[in-house]
Amino acid sequence: MEILRVFNNNVVLARPAQGDEVVLTGRGLGFQARPGQAVDESKVVRVFAPVDGRDVDHLGQLVAAVPPEHVKLAVVALESAGLSEVADSSPSLVVTLSDHLSFAIKRVRENIRLDYPLETEVGHLFPTELKQAQQVLAAVNEASDVRLPDSEAVAIALHLVNVGFTTGDLSYTYKLTGILQQLLEVVGQTYGRNLDNSFISVARFITHLRYLFVRIQSGKQLAGEASAVGEAIRTSQPEAYRCAERVAALLELRLDTTVTPDETAYLALHIARVVSDPRT
């Protein structure tokens, strides 16, 4: 395999002798490596192959932003829960779950508590995914040096649910690509910034938007009425919330839908995160 791009010391983009571009991970795989060189395949731990025409560079950026041990933790936990096939067929699940676990572990270490307001809804609508998520969480806690709270199963369940909603309709993917760019322009113009897709905060925002598209397509947005959490976000992040309302209005126009107040609130939370990151 030939190296096409080096994301960091442990993650590279490569082209196999046959087949499409893939993201490779492994300790020291990218150290002092250059595009055009051959991959040291003895160092390869995992191969991420994008599916349904998804952006392999975006996938690589997300993988590179997560510590390798947390990627491994996510893979081991999914395997322990009997979800190896799901993980293999959806590399984005492994990446987004790894990123979520990494952030959750950091919060626990810093004694920051985050409550999820959807536990009742998730348990009612997606009991199978919630049970699987509880198994994943148990495996994570067994393998990690910190203990994540039981409420994290709700967030993990939503990652599993999103995998089930994803379709292989590339025409929809192409349409959403254009909308994504338009939404980034709206946020950038609001704050007078150029949002660079190479920054991980922007990449995470794009991932959130993609999941929002999936929820809109499936008719399963977050709670239809404004929740206490949503109201708290509106109060604490007023400028980001106003920007989120503009983003929601554009989504409603482009996708012929109605964006719920809670979805708007969580958009505001992600927008605030993007613009507060000094790298953007």
Side-chain angles (χ1 to χ4, degrees):
M1 285 189 284
E2 179 186 11
I3 294 176
L4 302 179
R5 178 179 178 182
V6 178
F7 292 101
N8 61 25
N9 285 345
N10 306 309
V11 183
V12 302
L13 176 68
R15 180 189 294 117
Q18 295 182 336
D20 297 326
E21 297 172 358
V22 293
V23 175
L24 307 177
T25 66
R27 184 69 66 180
L29 188 61
F31 180 67
Q32 295 186 339
R34 297 287 184 274
Q37 293 179 344
V39 173
D40 183 350
E41 299 192 26
S42 66
K43 294 181 179 179
V44 175
V45 173
R46 189 167 182 87
V47 178
F48 292 94
V51 295
D52 296 337
R54 296 182 181 180
D55 183 358
V56 67
D57 280 278
H58 175 70
L59 179 64
Q61 289 163 9
L62 290 177
V63 173
V66 182
E69 60 270 22
H70 292 160
V71 176
K72 182 179 179 180
L73 180 63
V75 171
V76 170
L78 288 169
E79 291 175 347
S80 297
L83 297 172
S84 297
E85 291 186 7
V86 176
D88 290 340
S89 63
S90 178
S92 60
L93 169 63
V94 176
V95 177
T96 55
L97 179 59
S98 301
D99 182 62
H100 176 85
L101 292 177
S102 186
F103 190 41
I105 290 171
K106 180 181 179 182
R107 289 199 308 269
V108 170
R109 287 175 174 162
E110 296 178 355
N111 199 29
I112 299 173
R113 180 177 176 81
L114 179 62
D115 293 320
Y116 295 99
L118 301 173
E119 186 168 3
T120 302
E121 291 88 342
V122 170
H124 176 68
L125 294 172
F126 313 113
T128 299
E129 286 84 356
L130 182 58
K131 183 177 180 179
Q132 291 171 332
Q134 289 167 340
Q135 294 172 335
V136 171
L137 180 60
V140 168
N141 283 337
E142 183 177 349
S144 178
D145 60 350
V146 301
R147 179 173 180 80
L148 301 183
D150 294 343
S151 59
E152 287 295 336
V154 175
I156 295 172
L158 289 176
H159 283 291
L160 298 177
V161 169
N162 281 323
V163 171
F165 288 157
T166 303
T167 72
D169 184 359
L170 287 181
S171 64
Y172 188 69
T173 301
Y174 293 145
K175 177 181 179 180
L176 296 185
T177 299
I179 297 175
L180 272 172
Q181 187 58 44
Q182 189 177 5
L183 296 180
L184 290 176
E185 290 173 359
V186 168
V187 177
Q189 290 169 1
T190 298
Y191 288 90
R193 299 187 184 189
N194 179 28
L195 299 185
D196 190 335
N197 291 15
S198 67
F199 290 116
I200 189 58
S201 59
V202 179
R204 283 172 173 149
F205 181 48
I206 291 172
T207 297
H208 174 76
L209 289 172
R210 285 177 170 175
Y211 280 161
L212 173 56
F213 292 152
V214 170
R215 290 194 294 275
I216 290 174
Q217 184 188 37
S218 63
K220 296 183 181 293
Q221 291 187 58
L222 301 182
E225 299 299 327
S227 67
V229 172
E231 188 59 35
I233 294 171
R234 180 202 293 263
T235 302
S236 63
Q237 303 287 350
E239 186 176 7
Y241 195 90
R242 288 192 293 271
C243 183
E245 287 181 318
R246 289 192 283 273
V247 169
L250 179 56
L251 281 171
E252 291 179 344
L253 178 65
R254 294 294 305 272
L255 297 179
D256 190 23
T257 188
T258 298
V259 178
T260 67
D262 264 6
E263 290 288 7
T264 302
Y266 280 103
L267 274 171
L269 195 62
H270 280 270
I271 289 171
R273 186 180 183 184
V274 166
V275 299
S276 67
D277 190 326
R279 294 171 300 173
T280 63

